[in-house]
Amino acid sequence: MAIIPSDKAPQPGLNIYGCASVNPVKLTIFAAELGVKYNYVCLEMSIGEIQVEWYKSINPNGRVPAIVHVKEDGTSVTVFESAACLLYMASEFDKEHKLSYPLGTPEYWTQLSWLSWQVAGLGPMMGQANHFNRYATEPVPYGAWRYTAECRRLHHVLDRQLSIYPFIAGDHLTIADIAVFIFEHSAKWCGIDIDEYPNIKAWHDKLAQRSAFKEGLQVPVPYQFSDEAVSNPDAQELYESARKYGGQAIKEWTEKWQGTVVPLPSDHANY
């Protein structure tokens, strides 16, 4: 097994492995809301640290975030994928259910449904819209159209839910809200304007004013892809560089896995 470098090794307590990216912010916001102390291990994306063997011993998928919780008795629990991390953190640190609902209650299953909706629907679709709208190394009009349209559909679903309830899963803030928030905070970078969705806009602005959300957005560096930041005409050098070099990096990482599409007799029937 690969040896974890001493400066990246988990310390006693909660360890969050992340970088300046979307999904790890969910965990830092959660921790800030409940005052949970943690050790943040920042991975260097520029050198591909998420793909090195020692990190894959923590997260076999080579993505962020992941957590390692070293307990007082010396045992440890490792969890990867943001939804699983949020569920674990809620079970360990939210005994009073300030950010969750009790397991087995109807509200718990509503919370879990919306959390699953984020990681299976909104997140991946916003990610694909982001790729085709901002990072693709060549124009792909159908990809941009397809995923932007699906994001708009998902936003109509969310806007309708928030027209009924003050928070996504019901009457109080939960991990479902935290999971969705960062994508709405970054919506323009993906090609979506939340001003078109009044209930989402009001909900987002309400959460963005919470001190814990502001605190969580500062780790490991001040969050760089908010709607306000990416729209600032005087600060575009970062985003131009991110799109140029990020697009090239994504293409290089993906080329390793390219292959021939498995043919079927029905191919080309749709065009």
Side-chain angles (χ1 to χ4, degrees):
M1 179 177 291
I3 298 175
I4 302 176
S6 58
D7 62 329
K8 308 282 180 160
Q11 304 300 311
L14 179 65
N15 298 266
I16 297 176
Y17 287 79
C19 63
S21 184
V22 173
N23 286 311
V25 175
K26 301 172 185 177
L27 310 192
T28 56
I29 289 175
F30 177 99
E33 278 285 345
L34 290 185
V36 177
K37 295 181 179 180
Y38 60 90
N39 172 47
Y40 195 93
V41 182
C42 188
L43 302 170
E44 297 296 332
M45 293 291 287
S46 61
I47 60 173
E49 199 166 25
I50 61 173
Q51 293 297 320
V52 298
E53 288 305 310
W54 72 260
Y55 181 63
K56 285 187 176 180
S57 70
I58 295 171
N59 184 349
N61 194 40
R63 295 292 186 268
V64 288
I67 59 175
V68 179
H69 184 202
V70 182
K71 300 185 177 184
E72 292 183 359
D73 63 3
T75 62
S76 65
V77 177
T78 300
V79 184
F80 61 93
E81 295 296 329
S82 63
C85 292
L86 286 170
L87 288 166
Y88 178 83
M89 292 168 69
S91 71
E92 287 290 310
F93 304 111
D94 190 23
K95 304 298 186 183
E96 297 180 359
H97 301 293
K98 294 179 179 179
L99 295 178
S100 61
Y101 287 104
L103 178 64
T105 62
E107 293 82 3
Y108 173 86
W109 296 111
T110 299
Q111 167 194 280
L112 183 58
S113 295
W114 283 100
L115 179 62
S116 300
W117 176 86
Q118 189 278 301
V119 296
L122 181 70
M125 295 302 101
M126 291 285 272
Q128 293 301 321
N130 177 235
H131 174 75
F132 286 109
N133 288 325
R134 311 299 183 208
Y135 287 106
T137 56
E138 60 188 70
V140 187
Y142 180 78
W145 175 85
R146 165 72 179 95
Y147 290 109
T148 304
E150 177 61 7
C151 287
R152 291 180 61 81
R153 185 193 72 80
L154 290 164
H155 276 73
H156 279 283
V157 172
L158 180 60
D159 198 62
R160 183 170 62 248
Q161 178 71 0
L162 289 169
S163 74
I164 302 170
Y165 300 101
F167 297 96
I168 292 175
D171 62 359
H172 74 82
L173 180 71
T174 70
I175 56 177
D177 297 279
I178 292 173
V180 172
F181 170 81
I182 193 58
F183 286 91
E184 302 312 322
H185 199 58
S186 320
K188 285 187 177 179
W189 191 238
C190 301
I192 299 295
D193 186 353
I194 64 171
D195 286 347
E196 296 182 28
Y197 307 94
N199 299 301
I200 296 176
K201 173 66 172 172
W203 166 87
H204 165 271
D205 291 353
K206 174 175 62 179
L207 297 190
Q209 292 304 309
R210 294 176 70 97
S211 59
F213 276 66
K214 293 179 180 180
E215 180 181 336
L217 286 164
Q218 299 301 307
V219 183
V221 296
Y223 188 68
Q224 298 170 318
F225 294 95
S226 68
D227 284 1
E228 180 181 4
V230 301
S231 301
N232 182 354
D234 298 322
Q236 289 302 304
E237 183 177 353
L238 168 65
Y239 306 108
E240 291 171 1
S241 177
R243 292 175 68 165
K244 178 179 179 180
Y245 295 107
Q248 292 173 353
I250 292 168
K251 187 174 182 179
E252 290 172 4
W253 295 337
T254 306
E255 283 177 344
K256 177 181 179 181
W257 306 107
Q258 67 180 335
T260 302
V261 176
V262 176
L264 291 174
S266 62
D267 282 351
H268 311 302
N270 50 315
Y271 57 85

